[in-house]
Amino acid sequence: MKKILSILLLSLAGVAAYAQSAEKISQIVESQELTFGQAAYLALAYSGDIEEDVSEAEALEAAVKKNWIKNGAVDTAAIKLSELSALYLKATGIKGGLFYRVSGKSGRYAFKELKARNLLDKAADPAMTITGQNALSLFNSCVKIAEGSK
């Protein structure tokens, strides 16, 4: 009886964790401006460096520790497209061009890399923000590139 109860509790915990992850992704998709916390959550969940049930603030803290996001970012602040581009390239392991690597993997050249790969609209600006839905689409495109180069 104890085994059955243990298995039932573990399976319920798994369902709860999945539901929480799906809820976070839904919140990200519905957001009008992607935040640092949401972006960090996406990148670190993909890399497997965080549990799915961490908060956005914890995800941001982990991204700062990995040097994927500059220290001082606020989890609820909107992330600029240049900063998001750098995060995505670092998280997916896309090498980027010469200037991206020489510049210390700066946001400016990460943005130019994604634009050169036609993943960003021609009218996109490095200082603009992005919706959650567009951010998730961009991230999926980066993942496809990274997975294809392995």
Side-chain angles (χ1 to χ4, degrees):
M1 184 67 169
K2 286 184 181 182
K3 278 187 177 180
I4 294 172
L5 185 59
S6 297
I7 292 170
L8 182 61
L9 287 175
L10 285 174
S11 62
L12 287 176
V15 170
Y18 174 76
Q20 187 168 8
S21 174
E23 183 180 322
K24 283 188 181 190
I25 298 298
S26 293
Q27 289 173 350
I28 290 171
V29 168
E30 293 170 1
S31 66
Q32 293 302 307
E33 285 186 331
L34 189 75
T35 66
F36 276 99
Q38 291 170 328
Y41 178 83
L42 277 176
L44 288 163
Y46 166 75
S47 69
D49 291 330
I50 58 168
E51 297 295 321
E52 292 180 351
D53 62 344
V54 301
S55 69
E56 292 172 1
E58 292 169 323
L60 177 59
E61 186 179 319
V64 168
K65 284 182 184 173
K66 289 182 73 71
N67 206 23
W68 286 0
I69 295 177
K70 291 182 181 177
N71 196 11
V74 178
D75 65 314
T76 57
I79 188 169
K80 294 178 187 174
L81 199 47
S82 61
E83 296 162 325
L84 183 65
S85 300
L87 173 63
Y88 283 0
L89 263 60
K90 291 172 187 173
T92 58
I94 296 174
K95 294 192 188 294
L98 175 65
F99 287 112
Y100 171 70
R101 292 182 300 228
V102 170
S103 71
K105 301 183 177 183
S106 75
R108 176 181 182 196
Y109 290 107
F111 172 82
K112 288 180 178 264
E113 178 70 24
L114 294 182
K115 208 164 185 182
R117 291 178 183 250
N118 294 319
L119 299 181
L120 296 173
D121 188 70
K122 297 224 183 276
D125 182 84
M128 66 190 287
T129 59
I130 187 169
T131 66
Q133 184 174 4
N134 289 340
L136 190 58
S137 176
L138 177 61
F139 187 67
N140 285 334
S141 297
C142 290
V143 168
K144 284 180 187 175
I145 289 170
E147 303 275 324
S149 65
K150 289 184 180 177

